Amino acid sequence: MITSYISHSECMLHDMGPWHPESPHRISSINQKLERSGLAQELMHYSARPVTEEQVYRVHPQAHVRSLELSQPDEGDALVQIDDDTLIGPKTMHAATLAAGAVVRGTEQILKNQADNVFCAVRPPGHHAERVESMGFCFLNNVAIGVEHARQNFGIKRVAIVDFDVHHGNGTVDIFKNDPDVLVCSSFQHPFFPWRFADSEWDNIVNTPLNAGCPGLEFRKKVEDSWLPALQMHRPEMIFISAGFDGHKDDPMGEINLTEEDFYWATKLIMDVAATYSNNRIVSVLEGGYNLTSLAHSAHRHIEALKGM
């Protein structure tokens, strides 16, 4: 498999403070692991380009985006709190436009046959960003922006979004909950943040709640039983992954007991579906993962699976 790796050093300019778990070091920890293992040499490396206003406004109203931009403090001023655990700084929206732009660039690479699959190592994450509300460390919904780019610019009709973060992808569900052409499959600890959209009230939303303490084998069975039938029925032309690694047993943000091998397994399952229905088209985007060591190891195994190793 030809795997593209898209990132940008300026995604690390967004900084919510030394105490905050969504740290700039998250990206550097992944990069260092890939370099040390030699896997970095097996990937095609690209820099993200800023997303355009038109691409963002397909997902988020202009007024909402403008309000985020106006909330940004000037350089040197204090961070501005936009919800209980999400703060905006002078470089936040610049980093957010690069994160979303990475997904747009990855989407184009796949649909122009320049790569088999893509991993976007970007931040801030995006799957908690609802259409008109930013929350949960997220400002723009990176995956949703990529999905709309594929549909509006390349004529892709049926898309699947697979989200294996420890937190439910409420933003993605909010954006696509009434769109039958977009299937959203999400596994998450329950009951847990963000406390919304956890019930599968829509035919195109497949929620897979996991109890605290859920081990890898139980995760695998629940995912296989709930996601596979839906994916097989939907027959997606393209798959996007919201790749959250905070379900790892060593991550401080949740209570799910997964290991990097479970993320490898989940990735291979998604790749099998993509091989059958989607011409192998996968764009994977970093979401959660806050223990730097387990994040690096889990992302490494995820990328190894994408690479076909």
Side-chain angles (χ1 to χ4, degrees):
M1 288 287 183
I2 299 173
T3 299
S4 173
Y5 184 84
I6 305 178
S7 190
H8 202 292
S9 61
E10 292 179 8
C11 283
M12 294 187 276
L13 295 177
H14 165 58
D15 191 344
M16 293 186 282
W19 58 272
H20 203 286
E22 208 289 282
S23 159
H25 299 299
R26 296 177 65 232
I27 293 179
S28 56
S29 71
I30 296 172
N31 289 338
Q32 288 166 12
K33 174 64 178 174
L34 294 174
E35 290 291 342
R36 286 195 302 267
S37 72
L39 183 56
Q41 300 173 21
E42 305 294 323
L43 309 173
M44 299 194 307
H45 292 262
Y46 297 92
S47 290
R49 299 167 178 156
V51 71
T52 68
E53 290 182 345
E54 178 187 2
Q55 291 159 356
V56 174
Y57 296 160
R58 290 169 181 161
V59 172
H60 302 288
Q62 181 177 358
H64 171 62
V65 177
R66 185 67 180 143
S67 72
L68 288 172
E69 294 169 346
L70 291 173
S71 298
Q72 285 191 124
D74 293 330
E75 198 74 52
D77 289 349
L79 296 165
V80 174
Q81 194 158 2
I82 65 169
D83 82 345
D84 289 345
D85 52 17
T86 308
L87 301 96
I88 193 165
K91 300 294 186 183
T92 294
M93 293 309 293
H94 175 64
T97 61
L98 288 170
V103 186
V104 169
R105 185 168 193 185
T107 299
E108 291 181 349
Q109 287 180 345
I110 295 300
L111 294 173
K112 292 178 179 179
N113 297 314
Q114 296 169 347
D116 294 309
N117 53 50
V118 173
F119 182 72
C120 299
V122 293
R123 56 179 294 279
H127 73 152
H128 294 310
E130 298 180 0
R131 191 173 292 279
V132 294
E133 185 168 354
S134 299
M135 57 183 288
F137 313 165
C138 302
F139 300 88
L140 303 177
N141 196 302
N142 304 321
V143 163
I145 290 169
V147 168
E148 289 303 331
H149 188 64
R151 299 206 297 174
Q152 298 295 327
N153 288 69
F154 293 90
I156 294 293
K157 181 173 175 59
R158 294 183 314 280
V159 177
I161 301 170
V162 179
D163 185 328
F164 50 68
D165 195 275
V166 80
H167 303 104
H168 184 237
N170 61 293
T172 308
V173 171
D174 176 56
I175 291 163
F176 293 114
K177 62 184 183 292
N178 294 310
D179 190 334
D181 289 330
V182 181
L183 174 70
V184 182
C185 299
S186 180
S187 65
F188 51 94
Q189 182 175 330
H190 182 72
F192 206 39
F193 178 89
W195 320 107
R196 54 215 283 170
F197 297 122
D199 296 325
S200 297
E201 301 175 12
W202 305 273
D203 291 341
N204 65 313
I205 307 299
V206 179
N207 287 331
T208 305
L210 307 172
N211 293 324
C214 176
L217 287 178
E218 182 180 341
F219 162 78
R220 295 185 190 198
K221 185 176 190 313
K222 287 191 172 184
V223 161
E224 200 166 39
D225 290 348
S226 60
W227 291 1
L228 269 184
L231 288 164
Q232 290 164 349
M233 183 174 295
H234 191 65
R235 302 173 67 88
E237 297 169 68
M238 188 170 184
I239 299 176
F240 289 77
I241 303 175
S242 277
F245 301 109
D246 42 5
H248 194 281
K249 62 183 180 62
D250 294 334
D251 197 282
M253 296 293 285
E255 301 168 292
I256 302 299
N257 291 319
L258 305 185
T259 71
E260 48 266 37
E261 297 309 313
D262 296 308
F263 298 119
Y264 180 89
W265 173 87
T267 309
K268 295 294 285 185
L269 179 143
I270 298 163
M271 289 181 69
D272 288 345
V273 173
T276 302
Y277 301 110
S278 317
N279 197 26
N280 295 310
R281 296 167 174 158
I282 294 175
V283 175
S284 179
V285 186
L286 179 65
E287 299 286 1
Y290 304 100
N291 175 303
L292 297 182
T293 301
S294 62
L295 167 63
H297 285 277
S298 299
H300 187 274
R301 285 298 277 156
H302 176 63
I303 295 167
E304 282 186 322
L306 291 174
K307 193 78 179 71
M309 301 173 71

